[in-house]
Amino acid sequence: MITSQRVRVPTGELAVRVRAAAFELTQLCGFAARDNPKRGFLFVSKVLGKHWPAAPGQMRRIHDHLAAQLDLGPGPWLFIAMAETATGLGQGVFESALAQWPGSAALFVHSTRYQVPGLSYQEFLEPHCHAPDQYLYAPIDPDQLALFRAARQLVLIDDEISTGTTLCNLVDAYRALNPAIAGVHFVAITNFSGADSAARFSARLGLPVRCVSALDGDFSFTPGDWSFSTATPPAVGDKRRAPGQIALDLGRCGIDRALELRHADLDRLTAGLPAGAAILVLGTGEFMHLAFRVGLALESRGFTVAVQSTTRSPILIGADIQRRLVFADNYGEGIRNYLYNVDPTDYARILVCHETPLEGLDELVQQLGPACLTYRYPPAV
């Protein structure tokens, strides 16, 4: 097992040391550079389905592994995933927990950077991000809202933990709604926050915190001689979405069940493809989990599937980021979006899963080429 690695990225040098791991470091992540002076490096997860095309079966193994490590006290349990990058990971861990402990009183919510008029939310900050403002909606459904307000165990999911500041900020925001929370669990694929991080987080919050990950380690970053963009691309637009422009019942405002797919939709999306054909299933922005579930179902049918998502995160070409597509934001906020490490000619079909109206996807679909189909969910009945 690799225990240490030094990597040159465009903005400097990243040194990583592994202390404990259930998977090889090279299986879990690569490395790249953000175009962001707040944090010039990036852990590029290979099992997240965001910046790197990931096999859905391997993604599910990570979800199951992380869920199995949870040691949750009496419920209700509230799972919250971090936007944008970990929304799919969090919902996958939640669904694995439901499968491992059926009948549990549990709810999943993910944070968001979009505001919908008339909905209540808590605001918190992700300080190192180029778009630091995050929002946590209260559920719309009365039963889910009651569970949201009565949770005893809080499970926060992100793709990686470095300082833990954002997760602590989220705990503080949630406790303003529910001061009776009894235990907190920080869950991530990779945890680089230090051997004593659980004790430090517990002291910071005044609550027992347990850290769960697939790999624990330490890192250091030595900045190089690099000039960041003079104007960081905007990552926040008007932040207001009209009803119907984004899904409110699939995680952003709470969900208490596993996502359900229709076999007829899967048949339509793969019509005409030979057995074993290569398929790329893309999520869009925060709307990631559907792509994983579609990809997993198609993989079980014998197709060769990769899962990934578009993003608003500006990443520099170099190290483990070798390709980049740039296109308009399908959420209509005038924000550049990106897709990394994808060559459209590698796939017989590309499926773009989206929650927004079809308008706004034109530029992405054009770049992906004639093999591209779009799939809006939930589909019309």
Side-chain angles (χ1 to χ4, degrees):
M1 177 178 287
I2 294 175
T3 57
S4 63
Q5 190 172 354
R6 301 185 75 87
V7 181
R8 292 290 306 178
V9 298
T11 54
E13 184 175 80
L14 189 64
V16 177
R17 182 175 67 89
V18 177
R19 287 185 281 103
F23 302 84
E24 286 277 359
L25 174 65
T26 52
Q27 286 182 286
L28 295 180
C29 68
F31 309 94
R34 304 171 190 257
D35 192 6
N36 177 3
K38 294 180 182 178
R39 180 174 289 183
F41 61 91
L42 178 72
F43 297 105
V44 180
S45 176
K46 297 179 179 179
V47 293
L48 183 66
K50 191 64 178 179
H51 308 118
W52 186 284
Q58 181 65 359
M59 294 170 68
R60 182 171 63 175
R61 283 190 284 274
I62 295 297
H63 301 166
D64 291 345
H65 174 79
L66 294 175
Q69 291 187 79
L70 290 170
D71 183 13
L72 300 175
W77 304 338
L78 177 60
F79 291 70
I80 304 178
M82 293 295 301
E84 156 188 279
T85 306
T87 55
L89 170 68
Q91 199 158 356
V93 171
F94 168 72
E95 291 188 354
S96 288
L98 289 183
Q100 294 178 41
W101 297 285
S104 300
L107 180 72
F108 172 77
V109 183
H110 70 73
S111 67
T112 182
R113 289 190 171 90
Y114 299 111
Q115 295 180 25
V116 178
L119 299 184
S120 63
Y121 62 85
Q122 294 294 107
E123 187 172 356
F124 66 99
L125 293 178
E126 185 177 6
H128 69 269
C129 184
H130 68 298
D133 295 330
Q134 291 253 19
Y135 309 100
L136 180 68
Y137 283 130
I140 299 171
D141 178 85
D143 292 336
Q144 293 180 7
L145 179 60
L147 192 155
F148 179 80
R149 290 174 171 169
R152 297 287 290 162
Q153 299 291 317
L154 184 61
V155 184
L156 305 187
I157 306 105
D158 209 348
D159 58 311
E160 58 95 2
I161 304 173
S162 50
T163 67
T165 299
T166 303
L167 296 178
C168 288
N169 289 346
L170 177 51
V171 174
D172 288 337
Y174 175 72
R175 287 175 82 184
L177 300 172
N178 177 14
I181 196 75
V184 178
H185 309 260
F186 287 177
V187 179
I189 299 171
T190 52
N191 181 4
F192 294 111
S193 60
D196 64 341
S197 59
R200 288 188 284 105
F201 298 149
S202 298
R204 153 78 170 76
L205 294 170
L207 280 171
V209 176
R210 185 169 181 266
C211 294
V212 168
S213 66
L215 180 147
D216 291 314
D218 306 286
F219 78 93
S220 62
F221 180 68
T222 305
D225 184 16
W226 178 265
S227 297
F228 291 94
S229 297
T230 54
T232 301
V236 177
D238 64 16
K239 298 184 289 188
R240 295 193 177 275
R241 303 294 92 214
Q245 289 184 313
I246 60 175
L248 299 178
D249 59 348
L250 298 176
R252 193 175 278 109
C253 288
I255 188 169
D256 56 7
R257 66 192 185 282
L259 191 65
E260 296 180 0
L261 301 176
R262 301 193 312 199
H263 292 293
D265 292 332
L266 301 176
D267 294 340
R268 176 178 60 82
L269 293 171
T270 57
L273 288 178
I279 301 175
L280 175 64
V281 189
L282 284 179
T284 46
E286 297 174 0
F287 193 65
M288 293 175 60
H289 186 61
L290 176 64
F292 161 70
R293 288 296 306 276
V294 170
L296 194 64
L298 297 184
E299 190 177 63
S300 72
R301 293 186 175 198
F303 294 103
T304 303
V305 183
V307 172
Q308 206 170 334
S309 175
T310 64
T311 177
R312 58 175 62 185
S313 298
I315 306 173
L316 299 170
I317 295 295
D320 286 308
I321 297 293
Q322 293 298 315
R323 287 178 176 268
R324 178 177 61 193
L325 299 179
V326 185
F327 43 90
D329 168 33
N330 61 296
Y331 288 84
E333 298 200 315
I335 298 166
R336 276 185 283 176
N337 273 215
Y338 308 90
L339 180 62
Y340 297 102
N341 287 341
V342 167
D343 182 348
T345 64
D346 288 341
Y347 301 97
R349 186 153 297 167
I350 300 175
L351 306 176
V352 179
C353 300
H354 60 107
E355 59 181 335
T356 58
L358 187 59
E359 300 80 20
L361 284 171
D362 295 349
E363 195 171 326
L364 171 61
V365 169
Q366 183 179 16
Q367 292 194 48
L368 294 177
C372 181
L373 294 178
T374 59
Y375 179 41
R376 189 178 184 188
Y377 191 93
V381 178

